Amino acid sequence: MSTVIRRVRTEEWERVKEIRLAALQDPAASIAFLDTYESAAARPDGFWQERTAGAAEGDAVHQLVAEAADGRWLGTMTVRVERPGGDGALGGDVITVPQTHIVGVYVRPEARGTGLAHELIRAAQECSWSLAEPRIQRVRLFVHESNTRAEAMYLRAGFRRSGVSVPVPGDETHREIELAVERG
């Protein structure tokens, strides 16, 4: 499968919306995302336009897409820059070093098992390590404790459990496990 992994473009907000809604309809969405299809589908176009512009042009967020030769988007993930002293993405999560946080990971069913997820992870790491300011010390992500398939894929890609876990927002009975890779 021939794909190009690249950053989204501002004018692609409708495609960003479409792939996000597709991700939220995936059977694993309830443990993979902290959002629902219903809430995302109800957001106005302006939300998607602003979100895409920030991910396309900003310094704090970089959304990557895997684009097939025929133009279809087969997957996506977002890289958020986190600076020391700031609050992390999840409650009780404190940032101590310059790092990036991978979120919104999604590969369409027809592209699963092809190595595309690893290609996206590699591109997210390259994006992270290439940032001049701040100089990123680690790349991390959180995975739901029940999402063993995703965790296994991240471990194969070089991530390791950091020892940090936090309650799933809105569900104190489950945990989100932090996986990270340190700058070598």
Side-chain angles (χ1 to χ4, degrees), residues 15 17 27 183:
R15 296 184 79 188
K17 177 181 177 180
R183 182 183 280 273

PDB file of all heavy atoms in Angstrom, residues 15 17 27 183:
ATOM      1  N   ARG A  15     -12.380  17.112   5.408  1.00  0.00           N
ATOM      2  CA  ARG A  15     -11.775  15.772   5.461  1.00  0.00           C
ATOM      3  C   ARG A  15     -11.341  15.436   6.887  1.00  0.00           C
ATOM      4  O   ARG A  15     -11.435  14.285   7.319  1.00  0.00           O
ATOM      5  CB  ARG A  15     -10.600  15.689   4.490  1.00  0.00           C
ATOM      6  CG  ARG A  15     -11.066  15.864   3.028  1.00  0.00           C
ATOM      7  CD  ARG A  15      -9.936  15.700   2.070  1.00  0.00           C
ATOM      8  NE  ARG A  15      -9.692  14.261   1.901  1.00  0.00           N
ATOM      9  CZ  ARG A  15      -8.668  13.765   1.240  1.00  0.00           C
ATOM     10  NH1 ARG A  15      -7.772  14.571   0.693  1.00  0.00           N
ATOM     11  NH2 ARG A  15      -8.513  12.464   1.126  1.00  0.00           N
ATOM     12  N   LYS A  17     -12.826  16.543   9.563  1.00  0.00           N
ATOM     13  CA  LYS A  17     -14.091  16.219  10.235  1.00  0.00           C
ATOM     14  C   LYS A  17     -14.538  14.804   9.876  1.00  0.00           C
ATOM     15  O   LYS A  17     -14.911  14.020  10.757  1.00  0.00           O
ATOM     16  CB  LYS A  17     -15.167  17.229   9.829  1.00  0.00           C
ATOM     17  CG  LYS A  17     -16.530  16.944  10.411  1.00  0.00           C
ATOM     18  CD  LYS A  17     -17.555  17.977   9.954  1.00  0.00           C
ATOM     19  CE  LYS A  17     -18.939  17.657  10.471  1.00  0.00           C
ATOM     20  NZ  LYS A  17     -19.931  18.659  10.020  1.00  0.00           N
ATOM     21  N   PRO A  27     -15.786   0.501  16.438  1.00  0.00           N
ATOM     22  CA  PRO A  27     -16.199  -0.264  17.619  1.00  0.00           C
ATOM     23  C   PRO A  27     -15.311  -0.042  18.852  1.00  0.00           C
ATOM     24  O   PRO A  27     -15.781  -0.162  19.971  1.00  0.00           O
ATOM     25  CB  PRO A  27     -16.129  -1.721  17.147  1.00  0.00           C
ATOM     26  CG  PRO A  27     -16.325  -1.644  15.672  1.00  0.00           C
ATOM     27  CD  PRO A  27     -15.673  -0.355  15.247  1.00  0.00           C
ATOM     28  N   ARG A 183      14.019  10.575  24.154  1.00  0.00           N
ATOM     29  CA  ARG A 183      14.972  10.961  23.120  1.00  0.00           C
ATOM     30  C   ARG A 183      16.258  10.163  23.324  1.00  0.00           C
ATOM     31  O   ARG A 183      16.761  10.079  24.426  1.00  0.00           O
ATOM     32  CB  ARG A 183      15.268  12.454  23.183  1.00  0.00           C
ATOM     33  CG  ARG A 183      16.225  12.916  22.075  1.00  0.00           C
ATOM     34  CD  ARG A 183      16.556  14.390  22.190  1.00  0.00           C
ATOM     35  NE  ARG A 183      15.520  15.252  21.652  1.00  0.00           N
ATOM     36  CZ  ARG A 183      15.431  15.622  20.381  1.00  0.00           C
ATOM     37  NH1 ARG A 183      16.282  15.168  19.507  1.00  0.00           N
ATOM     38  NH2 ARG A 183      14.475  16.433  19.991  1.00  0.00           N
TER      39      ARG A 183
END
